[in-house]
């Protein structure tokens, strides 16, 4: 949400700079993410002065140029001018040497000292389009004769420099969704700093009154649950035209494009007070009746964007006597809005049920400034005040007449919250004894009334606009954020009890793994547990069925409408995002939960590893090398070895559909990790060209197999190991995992490792055959192996490989 610094200062008296305001807002819970300077005219007309042409004569070397002497107050400049309308005695805008001007069209221009057809020119007399003030280029700007020579052009044209303060508003802070709301928080902080009350200045609506009652309208609310309060009035003789500059500048500063004075006023009041308004063309309201109700299922409605929408019976509508005109609190209709021909307006201000608005907005995939506020809860007591404020602005800016009394339908008043407060509990939670007078002062500055006070037990009344303050803990948070988190001293001593436990501590293990992976060049990523259902639909992976998806009832968007069944899609999103920004060499890992629906809901904690691109960047000593399957295998093995689990795993081919080729490791019957190369179709879904290698650990199972016993060490063998290499000819569909398993089945005691170090397919081999070069390392911890023992083991190994796999020695 963007806040205008100058606009904010209309409600609170302060000399604080934008940066100082930003710091105080952040400290009070309204986190300022950025502060940007905004100028109503680009460049702010800096370096431009009001000048008077003292003399004009013909250029000796050019028929269409004139030589002028221009007084700019502190100097008289010789300037060559090509405008036809230049004359002595004129007041003009002058850009001096060194100034940069910003034309309406084209690039910025820096004014330099130069010679034009042999005559020196020390500046430029400007046309309005050359300095960004308009589109006219018929000649130079001729100013009023009363213009003061030597004054800055920015002052003459009242160019406003402002600052846009970007606030990262949390969903609970509905009270901060306006300039008045932000000013209220800022005033509370400044008041405590200055030790005196600094109340905000509210817009004046005291002059509101009806001009006549010639255009009354009937209003009926059929659904008071969805619309607890509805107010409106008629305005006549409205002149729809562009808004004045001050109003357009206010809206542009906060990122809104001006449309016309009526729409701009409703937007202005929305961002001033936080109350959404809607202006209807009253001449289009059939039967002179406004009815707040629901319509039958699948009723057709054309919204303001021209789309036909099928309504739900739970979509609240603003209707006339014949049809729906507007989706209440969400979006207007195509046929009821204000146009240039509008002269009669019905102005609406309401409090709609947040749940109804939120569900309707999600159903129709709409997110508007109005729905953003209504679905979080606006101030029910602001309804009529905002209506009066907008009506007075329309009267002032659009020449409107208020031609009806305010209609206010409010059958059941929404009451403030009453909350019990205990000062001792407050001191305990904050960690500091804040005196009662300070707490009273903070409550008063936040419009929180103290109804009863009995020593430490208080009863307070919270205004209805603070929908997030309903518990004692919320009150304590309010005290702390205004008092200042930084004003609570860190204690010099921390009292803690140390206890020893031999249980597995999952969080400690997780931190250890994160440190381990980072030390190996990985970067940790964190992603949303919500993804788009189209990923599963398009990937068509057996292990990730559409039926297993857990859908969100009211998704934030269509891209976040199901809970993820796997971490793979988040990882591929991150890889695609980085590769599109020239970051193609990636080593990523992520811990996260996945969720499935199969008979019942299940939740499982996983660890994912991703490798893609090159292991090293190109350099003069060594060319880059692309990641391979063996890199991801090495990382998986290293991690399992780190926990002493590698010797327990059994290797087999992975049946997961996400892999082009993959392996799984199991301990007993538990599949603890699947890893391999992501299939090309899945990569194409994310427009990823480089191979992606992925490992997916079932972390819950990994933790289940970890032992809490202290690590046991064993003495290194005093006897040498022996390596034997075999060159094997085998069918192309035989996997190395099969050789690995057979080798350990033949000899588990002496065999220490089996490694594949070369693969060959092609020339000089039979069709359908390939060659593997495999190393076998043997070692006895009690004696030196002799050739006879080694040969016996290798002979049995070869015989078993021939029998099981049809392997032949080359």
């Amino acid at each position: 949400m963007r806040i205008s610094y100058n606009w904010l200062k209309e409600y609170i008296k302060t000399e604080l700079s934008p940066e100082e305001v930003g710091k105080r807002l952040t400290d009070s819970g309204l986190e300022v993410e950025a502060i940007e300077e905004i100028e109503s005219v680009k460049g702010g007309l800096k370096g431009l002065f009001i000048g008077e042409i003292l003399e004009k004569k013909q250029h000796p070397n050019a028929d269409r140029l004139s030589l002028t002497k221009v007084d700019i107050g502190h100097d008289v400049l010789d300037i060559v001018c090509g405008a036809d309308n230049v004359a002595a005695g004129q007041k003009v805008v002058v850009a001096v040497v060194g100034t940069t001007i910003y034309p309406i069209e084209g690039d910025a221009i820096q004014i330099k000292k130069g010679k034009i057809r042999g005559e020196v020119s020390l500046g430029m007399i400007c046309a309005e389009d050359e300095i960004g003030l308009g589109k006219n280029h018929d000649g130079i700007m001729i100013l009023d004769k009363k213009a003061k020579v030597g004054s800055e052009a920015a002052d003459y044209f009242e160019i406003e420099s402002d600052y846009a303060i970007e606030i990262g508003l949390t969903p609970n802070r509905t009270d901060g969704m306006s300039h008045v709301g932000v000013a209220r928080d800022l005033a509370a902080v400044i008041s405590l700093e200055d030790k005196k009350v600094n109340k905000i200045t509210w817009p004046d609506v005291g002059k509101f009154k009806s001009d006549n009652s010639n255009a009354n309208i009937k209003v009926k609310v059929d659904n008071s649950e969805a619309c607890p309060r509805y107010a409106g009035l008629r305005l006549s003789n409205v002149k729809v035209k562009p808004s004045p500059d001050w109003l357009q500048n206010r809206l542009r500063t906060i990122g809104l494009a001006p449309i016309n004075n009526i729409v701009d006023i409703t937007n202005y009041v929305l961002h001033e007070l936080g109350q959404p308004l809607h202006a209807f063309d009253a001449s289009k309201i059939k039967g002179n009746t406004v009815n707040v109700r629901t319509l039958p299922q699948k009723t057709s409605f054309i919204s303001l964007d021209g789309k036909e929408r099928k309504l739900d019976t739970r979509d609240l509508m603003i209707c006339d006597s014949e049809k729906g005109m507007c989706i209440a609190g969400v979006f207007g209709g195509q046929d009821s809005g204000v146009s240039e021909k509008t002269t009669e307006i019905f102005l609406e201000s309401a409090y709609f049920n947040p749940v109804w608005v939120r569900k309707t907005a999600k159903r129709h995939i709409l997110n508007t400034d109005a729905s953003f506020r209504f679905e979080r809860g606006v101030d029910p007591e602001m309804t009529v005040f905002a209506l009066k404020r907008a009506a007075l602005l329309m009267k002032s800016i659009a020449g409107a007449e208020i031609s009806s009394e305010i209609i206010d339908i409010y059958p059941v008043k929404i009451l403030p919250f009453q909350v019990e407060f205990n000062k001792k509990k407050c001191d305990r939670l904050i960690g500091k004894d804040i005196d009662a007078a300070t707490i009273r002062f903070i409550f008063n500055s936040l419009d929180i009334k103290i109804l009863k006070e009995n020593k430490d037990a208080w009863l307070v009344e919270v205004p209805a606009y603070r929908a997030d303050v309903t518990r004692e803990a919320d009150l304590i948070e309010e005290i702390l954020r205004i008092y200042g988190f930084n004003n609570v001293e860190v204690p010099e001593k921390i009292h803690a009890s140390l206890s020893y436990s031999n249980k597995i501590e999952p969080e400690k293990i997780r931190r250890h793994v994160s440190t381990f992976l980072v030390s190996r060049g990985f970067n940790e990523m964190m992603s949303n547990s919500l993804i788009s259902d189209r990923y599963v639909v398009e990937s068509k992976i057996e292990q990730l069925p559409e039926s297993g998806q857990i859908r969100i009832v009211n998704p934030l968007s269509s891209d976040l409408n199901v809970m993820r069944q796997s971490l793979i899609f988040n990882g591929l999103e991150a890889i695609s995002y980085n590769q599109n920004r020239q970051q193609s060499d990636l080593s990523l890992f992520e811990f996260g939960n996945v969720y499935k629906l199969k008979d019942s809901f299940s939740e499982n904690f996983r660890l994912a590893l991703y490798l893609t691109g090159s292991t090293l960047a190109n350099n003069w000593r060594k060319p880059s090398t692309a990641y391979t399957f063996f890199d991801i295998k090495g990382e998986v093995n290293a991690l399992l070895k780190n926990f002493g689990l590698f010797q327990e795993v059994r290797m087999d081919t992975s049946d997961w559909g996400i892999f082009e080729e993959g392996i799984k490791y199991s301990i007993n019957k538990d599949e603890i990790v699947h890893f391999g190369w992501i299939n090309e179709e899945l990569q194409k879904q994310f427009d990823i060209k480089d191979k992606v290698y992925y490992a997916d650990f079932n972390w819950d199972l990994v933790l289940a197999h970890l032992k809490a016993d202290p690590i046991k060490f064993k003495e290194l063998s005093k006897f040498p190991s022996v390596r034997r290499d075999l060159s094997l000819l085998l069918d192309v569909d035989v996997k190395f995992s099969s050789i690995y398993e057979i080798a350990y089945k033949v000899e588990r005691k002496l065999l220490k490792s089996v490694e594949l170090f070369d693969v060959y397919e092609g020339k000089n081999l039979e069709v359908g055959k390939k060659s593997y070069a495999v190393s076998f390392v043997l070692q006895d911890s009690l004696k030196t192996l002799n050739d006879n023992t080694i040969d016996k083991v290798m002979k049995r190994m070869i015989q078993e490989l021939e029998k099981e796999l049809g392997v032949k020695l080359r």
Side-chain angles (χ1 to χ4, degrees):
M1 185 185 72
R2 287 166 71 95
I3 293 292
S4 160
Y5 172 69
N6 289 347
W7 192 353
L8 188 67
K9 287 171 62 175
E10 291 181 9
Y11 313 110
I12 180 171
K13 295 178 181 179
T14 179
E15 298 302 320
L16 295 174
S17 68
E19 290 73 20
E20 291 171 324
V21 167
K23 182 181 183 304
R24 282 160 177 79
L25 290 177
T26 298
D27 289 347
S28 67
L30 295 175
E31 183 181 359
V32 173
E33 296 176 339
I35 299 176
E36 177 188 0
E37 185 174 6
I38 304 291
E39 294 167 326
S40 57
V41 174
K42 190 172 182 180
L45 301 187
K46 293 173 184 174
L48 276 69
F49 297 91
I50 306 302
E52 182 177 8
I53 300 175
L54 303 177
E55 178 184 313
K56 174 215 169 182
K57 61 183 181 180
Q58 183 65 43
H59 193 297
N61 303 318
D63 294 340
R64 294 189 176 183
L65 298 179
S66 302
L67 302 181
T68 65
K69 288 188 179 294
V70 185
D71 180 11
I72 60 169
H74 57 277
D75 201 356
V76 176
L77 304 176
D78 292 318
I79 298 176
V80 178
C81 181
D84 293 335
N85 63 336
V86 65
Q90 293 173 339
K91 299 287 181 70
V92 293
V93 179
V94 179
V96 300
V97 172
T99 298
T100 299
I101 59 174
Y102 297 88
I104 288 290
E105 296 180 357
D107 298 329
I109 302 169
Q110 186 176 33
I111 306 301
K112 299 178 181 178
K113 177 182 177 181
K115 282 189 176 184
I116 302 176
R117 293 290 184 92
E119 298 294 329
V120 173
S121 184
L122 300 175
M124 176 178 173
I125 303 174
C126 302
E128 68 175 44
D129 70 322
E130 293 170 332
I131 55 177
L133 288 177
K135 297 182 179 180
N136 192 309
H137 193 68
D138 293 339
I140 60 172
M141 291 184 73
I142 300 172
L143 309 180
D144 191 286
K145 291 183 178 181
K146 296 179 181 178
K148 183 180 178 182
V149 173
S151 62
E152 294 186 1
D155 295 335
Y156 178 82
F157 290 104
E158 298 181 347
I159 300 302
E160 186 178 74
S161 178
D162 199 354
Y163 292 86
I165 302 173
E166 189 77 38
I167 295 177
L169 197 66
T170 53
N172 63 310
R173 291 301 307 278
T174 57
D175 62 301
M177 294 188 294
S178 65
H179 282 73
V180 164
V182 173
R184 187 164 42 208
D185 259 19
L186 184 60
V189 173
I190 294 174
S191 295
L192 192 62
E193 288 179 357
D194 297 343
K195 304 299 182 188
K196 63 179 182 181
V197 176
N198 188 346
K199 288 287 185 182
I200 63 172
T201 303
W202 284 83
D204 184 13
V205 296
K207 296 180 180 179
F208 176 87
K209 66 176 182 177
S210 298
D211 296 308
N212 56 67
S213 299
N214 299 333
N216 283 324
I217 192 168
K218 298 176 184 177
V219 177
K220 183 182 179 184
V221 178
D222 288 345
N223 191 329
S224 58
E225 176 201 348
C227 180
R229 187 175 193 181
Y230 190 89
L233 57 77
R234 282 282 296 263
L235 297 107
S236 304
N237 299 324
V238 176
K239 298 176 182 65
V240 180
K241 57 185 179 180
S243 298
D245 289 342
W246 71 265
L247 179 52
Q248 293 194 37
N249 290 338
R250 285 284 184 265
L251 296 179
R252 286 194 184 102
T253 298
I254 60 172
L256 296 181
I259 297 173
N260 59 53
N261 51 1
I262 301 303
V263 175
D264 292 350
I265 286 169
T266 60
N267 283 331
Y268 180 85
V269 173
L270 166 69
H271 288 275
E272 179 184 49
L273 302 175
Q275 173 64 46
L277 304 171
H278 193 81
F280 297 90
D281 187 327
S283 67
K284 298 177 182 177
I285 300 176
K286 304 297 182 183
N288 198 34
T289 300
V290 172
N291 192 351
V292 184
R293 64 191 182 97
T294 56
L295 294 174
Q297 184 74 14
K298 294 189 176 180
T299 299
S300 180
F301 175 73
I302 308 297
S303 54
L304 192 60
D305 56 3
K307 291 183 179 180
E308 182 180 6
R309 302 181 185 276
K310 298 296 183 181
L311 300 177
D312 187 87
T313 54
R314 300 283 290 177
D315 292 335
L316 188 68
M317 299 293 294
I318 311 300
C319 307
D320 59 19
S321 61
E322 297 180 4
K323 63 184 184 309
M325 300 187 294
C326 172
I327 303 176
V330 180
F331 210 36
Q334 189 178 53
D335 300 326
S336 61
V338 173
S339 68
E340 292 179 357
K341 297 179 181 179
T342 299
T343 59
E344 303 286 322
I345 284 175
F346 175 70
L347 187 62
E348 166 196 280
S349 180
Y351 176 83
F352 297 116
N353 186 307
V355 175
W356 279 68
V357 173
R358 183 170 63 253
K359 288 185 176 181
T360 293
K362 301 312 174 192
R363 255 193 302 271
H364 296 286
I365 316 176
L366 288 169
N367 183 21
T368 62
D369 279 343
S371 68
F372 178 81
R373 286 161 174 79
F374 277 129
E375 66 187 40
R376 286 161 174 79
V378 298
D379 182 2
E381 299 304 313
M382 187 62 69
T383 308
V384 171
F385 186 93
L387 198 62
K388 291 179 178 179
R389 172 65 166 158
L392 288 172
L393 286 171
M394 289 180 185
K395 190 172 181 178
S396 170
I397 294 171
E401 293 180 3
I402 302 171
S403 51
S404 78
E405 298 294 333
I406 289 178
I407 302 161
D408 184 15
I409 301 174
Y410 195 15
V412 180
K413 185 177 175 64
I414 298 172
L415 299 174
F417 309 104
Q418 289 191 2
V419 184
E420 293 181 348
F421 171 78
N422 186 283
K423 186 180 177 305
K424 283 186 177 179
K425 186 175 180 180
C426 174
D427 295 339
R428 180 172 58 81
L429 288 180
I430 291 177
K432 183 175 181 177
D433 184 359
I434 300 176
D435 64 89
T438 300
I439 294 175
R440 291 189 200 98
F441 189 91
I442 291 172
F443 280 167
N444 180 56
S445 66
L446 294 175
D447 298 334
I448 297 173
K449 296 179 182 177
I450 301 174
L451 302 179
K452 293 180 183 178
E453 188 175 340
N454 183 11
K455 295 184 179 179
D456 291 326
W458 299 10
L459 180 66
V460 303
E461 183 180 84
V462 181
Y465 67 79
R466 289 308 305 272
D468 61 318
V469 182
T470 58
R471 306 168 302 165
E472 184 179 28
D474 299 328
L475 283 172
I476 296 170
E477 182 183 358
E478 291 299 294
I479 295 167
L480 181 55
R481 70 182 186 84
I482 300 302
Y483 182 78
F485 290 88
N486 295 331
N487 292 326
V488 178
E489 299 82 2
V490 177
E492 295 181 0
K493 295 181 180 179
I494 297 178
H495 301 282
S497 300
L498 298 177
S499 61
Y500 172 76
S501 172
N502 63 350
K503 294 181 180 178
I504 294 293
E505 298 180 50
E507 189 57 37
K508 187 175 180 181
I509 297 294
R510 179 178 166 179
R511 288 197 300 269
H512 171 78
V513 171
S514 297
T515 303
F516 175 77
L517 290 172
V518 168
S519 72
R520 296 180 67 85
F522 281 83
N523 290 297
E524 184 171 10
M525 60 172 277
M526 297 181 184
S527 59
N528 201 327
S529 295
L530 302 177
I531 62 170
S532 171
D533 63 347
R534 64 184 173 83
Y535 289 156
V536 169
V537 174
E538 293 173 8
S539 62
K540 299 177 182 178
I541 295 168
E542 182 183 349
Q543 290 77 21
L544 302 175
E546 290 185 52
S547 60
Q549 297 191 106
I550 300 174
R551 296 190 171 274
I552 305 302
V553 176
N554 293 306
L556 295 171
S557 75
S558 58
D559 289 331
L560 300 170
N561 59 357
V562 296
M563 302 187 79
R564 63 188 177 193
Q565 296 184 65
S566 169
L567 299 178
I568 182 63
F569 299 118
N570 301 91
L572 293 178
E573 273 186 343
I575 290 169
S576 177
Y577 182 89
N578 279 275
Q579 288 187 350
N580 289 337
R581 287 156 182 80
Q582 288 77 50
Q583 299 294 324
S584 57
D585 303 332
L586 300 168
S587 307
L588 305 173
F589 75 94
E590 178 179 18
F591 283 100
N593 286 308
V594 298
Y595 311 86
K596 289 187 179 181
L597 176 60
K598 186 178 181 181
D599 299 328
S600 61
F601 296 110
S602 65
E603 182 177 343
N604 178 227
F605 199 59
R606 318 288 291 196
L607 166 63
L609 310 183
Y610 307 88
L611 296 176
T612 185
S614 300
T615 57
L616 292 171
N618 257 326
N619 63 71
W620 65 274
R621 296 183 60 194
K622 188 176 181 180
S624 63
T625 304
Y627 282 113
T628 68
F629 175 85
F630 297 100
D631 289 304
I632 193 70
K633 180 184 178 184
E635 298 298 341
V636 170
N637 292 351
L639 188 55
L640 292 175
K641 287 176 181 176
N642 191 262
F643 287 112
L645 294 177
F646 182 69
Q647 294 301 324
E648 299 180 35
V649 301
R650 185 183 73 257
M651 182 169 62
D652 203 351
T653 303
S654 174
D655 58 355
W656 281 13
I658 62 173
F659 293 126
E660 195 79 25
E661 292 184 5
I663 286 177
K664 68 178 178 182
Y665 284 166
S666 304
I667 299 179
N668 300 327
K669 294 182 179 180
D670 294 332
E671 297 178 2
I672 61 169
V673 61
H674 288 248
F675 60 93
W677 163 31
I678 298 297
N679 71 55
E680 292 183 4
E681 290 302 315
L682 189 54
Q683 289 191 194
K684 284 180 183 177
Q685 193 176 331
F686 291 85
D687 196 27
I688 298 172
K689 297 178 176 61
D690 293 340
K691 287 184 179 180
V692 177
Y693 299 95
Y694 172 62
D696 186 334
F697 288 85
N698 185 329
W699 200 247
D700 290 334
L701 292 179
V702 172
L703 292 177
H705 286 281
L706 288 180
K707 297 178 176 60
D709 299 332
I711 296 174
K712 295 177 180 178
F713 296 89
K714 62 180 179 180
E715 186 180 358
L716 291 173
S717 177
K718 298 175 182 178
F719 304 99
S721 61
V722 177
R723 170 172 165 162
R724 289 289 186 266
D725 296 341
L726 296 180
S727 180
L728 305 174
L729 184 66
L730 61 161
D731 294 338
V732 291
D733 59 349
V734 175
K735 304 292 185 183
F736 171 70
S737 59
S738 301
I739 297 173
Y740 184 93
E741 288 179 1
I742 291 171
Y744 273 103
K745 186 171 71 172
V746 170
E747 181 55 63
R748 181 165 291 275
K749 179 181 177 183
L750 299 180
L751 186 61
K752 300 303 178 185
S753 71
V754 182
E755 297 291 340
L756 176 65
F757 64 89
D758 190 33
V759 178
Y760 176 73
E761 292 182 59
K763 190 177 179 182
N764 298 327
L765 290 183
E766 298 175 37
V767 176
K769 297 290 185 179
K770 63 182 175 182
S771 174
Y772 273 0
V774 183
S775 68
F776 301 84
V777 177
L778 304 171
Q779 187 180 41
D780 193 328
S781 59
L782 301 176
K783 61 184 178 180
T784 300
L785 290 172
N786 56 43
D787 289 340
N788 187 40
T789 303
I790 296 168
D791 291 342
K792 285 181 179 179
V793 171
M794 296 307 299
K795 184 177 180 180
R796 284 190 291 118
M797 200 89 69
I798 294 168
Q799 288 174 345
E800 197 65 26
L801 290 172
E802 287 178 347
K803 177 183 174 183
E804 297 284 341
L805 304 175
V807 170
K808 294 182 180 179
L809 287 178
R810 289 190 69 196

